[in-house]
Amino acid sequence: MNQLIFEISRSGRKGYRFPKQDVPQREAQQLFGVIAAKQAPNLPETAEVDVIRHFENLARDNFAVDAGFYPLGSCTMKYNPKVNELTSREAGFTEVHPLQPEETAQGSLELIHTLTGYLSEITGMSWGTMQSMAGAHGEFTGMKLFRAYFSAAGEHQRTRLIVPSSSHGTNPASAHLSGFEVIELPADERGLVSPESLKPYMNDQLAGIMLTNPNTLGLYETDILEISEMVHEAGGLLYYDGANLNAVMGKSRPGDMGFDVIHLNLHKTFSTPHGGGGPGAGPVLVSDRLVPFLPVPDVVKTDGDYRFDWDRPQSIGKISGFYGNFGVLVRALTYILVMGKDGLTRASEMAVLNANYVMESLKDLYYLPYDQVCKHEFVFSAEKMKKDTGVSALDVAKGLVERSIHPPTVYFPLIVPEALMIEPTETETKETLDRFIAVMTEIHRLAYEDASQLTEAPRGTSVRRVDDVRAARHPVVRWEGAE
Ligand SMILES: *Cc1c(COP(=O)(O)O)cnc(C)c1O
């Protein structure tokens, strides 16, 4: 295991050499007065080479999509082409300041405008905002748009929002935070939303419905047109959680399905590496009727020039400090331009093909509760395996860690017990998928023949199994000296 940098620290050791001091020494208090620290900070004292080795070794312990297969369902951990990093590092983009005059930032404004147009076309919506900085932020913005729409219509009684039980946890959270009453709708035996189950809520209290399509089971909502007609007829709106568009780009469009608001996670489908809380972008696109309420400023083009338009009297206002996580927007536009229409369609096709290939290859070993053609991902249940052998979804995940594969998402969606949610993504080769299938087959065999190899895994990693409960109840997040 890597030591902490404080543990390799030795009092008085230095990684630098300064010339001899040739001016009188002054105390910090003399120089800075009351704001000076009373005590020197407790910093590690190490040789330069040891600092380098320390961080290098920590970095090598990281797992990333550039290091190996990362089938983390719902999160779309796909390979992100390096050309997107090159464009996002162009000095013209990195050194632009959000407060500089519009006429000196025409390229950046054009980029925002162009991307908004492409994303509107890809999703079949009318226009949108690039300001929101994450999927959840996009959802929150979408809910504000719902509220503004109903307020403008004088329909303050529309407070109920339907959210399927399979939805991403951020959906009910965003709806609740925005003041809606969340109605949780169970999936039917197909794993889908049935129009029948919506009927009781089709009245003048309905604000709308939030749907993910394909849903978090990786299944396409086949009744979506009927659902959108019902909701609109009852006076409600439809929200599309498009965090993951990997199955439908170039194939079907949320706008054509009747949705009014959608957010996208550019850091999933549109190529920005994510995980560990790095910067994201959750643009929001809307149908005609919600355009007047979009956040300010909009980026508009008049007489060949781009400028910010703040004159939107019905706008929900500003939703971020400036104009979003701009570097993520640069990557997304690069990705779209490099892929082109055909490339995006092909990415969706390959994502769906890869998911079905893995699902079909393993479904005799791992229980598949909703046995249908899936889209970009699918969900196994390890419940039977756990009953038979004691090996849980978590143990399967740890077995994969031991074998240098990032585990799938586990224990989500909540409606599948012992869930293993697998999303191979479009960029993996058949050889990589076959290796994963072989490893999952081996893990299944071990579960039935030698379970301790899994329940005690991982053994060869720098950190073995952590005590989740203790870590949650007694988190130690700061080094406080040797015991
Ligand atoms: C990732 C995800 C979100 C949340 O996105 P963040 O950027 O993490 O806020 C919402 N919905 C679905 C379906 C997702 O996969």
Side-chain angles (χ1 to χ4, degrees), residues 74-75 134-137 139 168 170-171 212 216 241 243 263 265 267-268:
S74 185
C75 294
H137 192 191
E139 292 169 24
H168 196 269
T170 48
N171 291 187
T212 311
T216 48
D241 177 341
H263 85 261
N265 277 22
H267 48 293
K268 288 179 184 168

Side-chain angles (χ1 to χ4, degrees), residues 323-434:
Y323 316 109
N325 277 330
F326 186 70
V328 181
L329 308 183
V330 180
R331 289 184 181 88
L333 184 64
T334 309
Y335 183 71
I336 291 170
L337 290 174
V338 169
M339 297 290 278
K341 252 186 196 168
D342 307 349
L344 293 179
T345 309
R346 179 102 178 124
S348 295
E349 287 167 355
M350 292 307 293
V352 172
L353 181 64
N354 284 357
N356 278 282
Y357 178 66
V358 175
M359 181 181 86
E360 286 297 322
S361 305
L362 288 170
K363 75 177 192 189
D364 290 340
L365 298 179
Y366 292 86
Y367 176 58
L368 179 66
Y370 299 96
D371 187 358
Q372 319 163 29
V373 173
C374 68
K375 290 293 171 282
H376 56 289
E377 63 192 0
F378 60 91
V379 183
F380 283 140
S381 168
E383 194 180 24
K384 179 168 184 305
M385 178 190 268
K386 187 177 172 192
K387 252 187 219 135
D388 292 348
T389 69
V391 170
S392 64
L394 183 72
D395 298 324
V396 173
K398 299 296 183 191
L400 285 166
V401 170
E402 185 92 285
R403 289 157 184 82
S404 303
I405 291 178
H406 196 286
T409 298
V410 290
Y411 300 99
F412 177 79
L414 302 177
I415 57 173
V416 173
E418 296 293 322
L420 289 156
M421 184 188 205
I422 299 171
E423 179 181 0
T425 80
E426 72 277 14
T427 40
E428 301 300 335
T429 60
K430 181 163 180 296
E431 288 74 19
T432 300
L433 301 181
D434 284 339

